[in-house]
Amino acid sequence: MSAPKSGRPILRMILGRLGIGIFTLFVISIIIFLAISLLPGDIAEQVLGQSATPETVAAFRRELGLDQPLLFRYIDWILGIVQGDFGQSLANGRPVADLLAARLGNTLFLAAYAGVIAVPIAVLLGLLAALWRGGWFDRITNITTLTAISFPEFFVAYILMFALSVRMGWLPSIADPGAAPDLAGMLTRTFLPAVTLVLVVTAHMMRMTRAAVVNVLGAPYVVMARLKGASRWRVITRHALPNALAPIINVITLNVAWLITGVVIVEVVFVFPGLGQLMVDSVSNRDMPVVQACALIFGAVYILLNLLADVLAIATNPRLLHPR
């Protein structure tokens, strides 16, 4: 009979997942760099235009380091990122880090705004749907969430814009908050894009919450609670929900990750100056250092939140935290 493992299982687990995350981010950085480098066309010629002389193009290529071997360029790029240097923008010559800092805050604000609204609504609707499983509320909620999932976010965005901005005139259709917005102005300007994101992610989180709670309602301890006369709401919130937290936390964290990394289309529709809008503009301008930096940040955020979901799911489930 083997002795049980001692020590700090959560710390070991976090360190192990962190190592996997760093390795995954390293692989993603290679993929991003190769994908950008292998794009057809010469970046120097496209930036300078057709009127540029061969000598000017060659000088510009040397300035960008494009005359160096691919491996040396990758090492130079990744070492710069480790030191906080993302390079210079080809479009305006500004440091890429400054461009990212100005836009990343807006994207995080929009994601947090949508998450604060979506998470409580999704969990509450999921619990109520499990409480009245098979009833009219459950059926209406399932139909509504399936409908919301079926629509792409740009379609939902244009419908909301047409109804609440064009027809009613209640909210602005352009979400640009300006140079120095106050909190009230920021909340008003970003309400439509936030509601669009809420409608998209609430359906996923609500359905997972309902499925996870319903899955544990047949467990012996839940049946015993019912036999003791506990109310249905108490059985769900005190006995079923704590044991269904792992999958619920997982899907909530993954949806929060999507709120940050999947807002590109919503930001473009509402002309919101976030990281997704910056990435789209940079692709149009062939500003590859900015595109690479945006893609790497999106990848890092997604990996980090996936790791957080993994750790929280295991930490809230003793059977996963202490496997035999």
Side-chain angles (χ1 to χ4, degrees):
M1 182 177 179
S2 62
K5 292 182 178 180
S6 60
R8 301 174 179 176
I10 292 183
L11 182 59
R12 289 201 306 271
M13 176 187 63
I14 292 175
L15 292 177
R17 296 297 192 279
L18 192 59
I20 295 174
I22 292 174
F23 177 75
T24 306
L25 186 60
F26 171 68
V27 174
I28 289 176
S29 71
I30 295 176
I31 295 174
I32 292 173
F33 186 82
L34 289 178
I36 298 296
S37 301
L38 296 179
L39 285 176
D42 192 322
I43 296 178
E45 292 181 353
Q46 296 190 11
V47 170
L48 295 176
Q50 296 180 351
S51 59
T53 62
E55 292 76 13
T56 305
V57 173
F60 192 61
R61 287 177 59 82
R62 283 195 299 273
E63 180 183 348
L64 297 180
L66 297 177
D67 57 337
Q68 298 295 320
L70 197 62
L71 177 61
F72 292 167
R73 286 160 49 196
Y74 171 76
I75 293 175
D76 183 63
W77 177 65
I78 201 67
L79 288 179
I81 289 177
V82 171
Q83 299 171 8
D85 181 12
F86 288 86
Q88 304 288 327
S89 168
L90 300 181
N92 51 34
R94 293 179 58 191
V96 176
D98 293 347
L99 297 175
L100 297 178
R103 300 296 189 95
L104 183 60
N106 289 339
T107 295
L108 294 179
F109 177 86
L110 179 59
Y113 191 7
V116 167
I117 299 174
V119 172
I121 292 177
V123 174
L124 180 61
L125 289 178
L127 293 178
L128 293 176
L131 177 65
W132 295 312
R133 181 175 40 158
W136 62 268
F137 181 84
D138 187 24
R139 292 192 181 95
I140 292 176
T141 306
N142 276 324
I143 292 173
T144 305
T145 52
L146 279 175
T147 304
I149 293 174
S150 303
F151 288 140
E153 55 264 34
F154 71 87
F155 181 77
V156 177
Y158 282 124
I159 291 294
L160 291 175
M161 186 186 297
F162 177 75
L164 300 180
S165 181
V166 177
R167 296 300 298 270
M168 303 295 182
W170 292 346
L171 295 166
S173 58
I174 304 298
D176 190 350
D182 56 358
L183 180 60
M186 192 79 172
L187 292 174
T188 303
R189 286 281 180 182
T190 56
F191 185 74
L192 276 182
V195 170
T196 303
L197 296 172
V198 167
L199 291 177
V200 175
V201 300
T202 298
H204 293 93
M205 293 188 289
M206 173 266 159
R207 291 178 65 81
M208 178 55 73
T209 301
R210 178 191 179 278
V213 172
V214 168
N215 190 42
V216 299
L217 284 180
Y221 57 88
V222 175
V223 176
M224 179 60 68
R226 287 177 176 169
L227 293 176
K228 287 183 176 180
S231 65
R232 295 173 63 185
W233 181 250
R234 183 181 178 84
V235 167
I236 287 180
T237 56
R238 295 295 184 87
H239 300 279
L241 181 59
N243 292 281
L245 277 180
I248 295 174
I249 290 175
N250 209 331
V251 74
I252 287 176
T253 312
L254 292 179
N255 277 277
V256 171
W258 182 87
L259 285 176
I260 299 175
T261 61
V263 297
V264 176
I265 295 176
V266 175
E267 288 185 358
V268 171
V269 170
F270 291 101
V271 199
F272 182 70
L275 208 57
Q277 178 75 57
L278 175 64
M279 188 174 182
V280 172
D281 293 341
S282 302
V283 170
S284 302
N285 297 329
R286 300 279 293 182
D287 197 349
M288 294 312 164
V290 180
V291 176
Q292 287 175 328
C294 290
L296 191 62
I297 287 180
F298 282 143
V301 170
Y302 200 81
I303 290 173
L304 182 63
L305 290 178
N306 268 276
L307 291 176
L308 181 63
D310 200 11
V311 171
L312 290 177
I314 294 176
T316 55
N317 191 335
R319 287 176 297 182
L320 297 176
L321 187 61
H322 303 285
R324 292 182 178 178

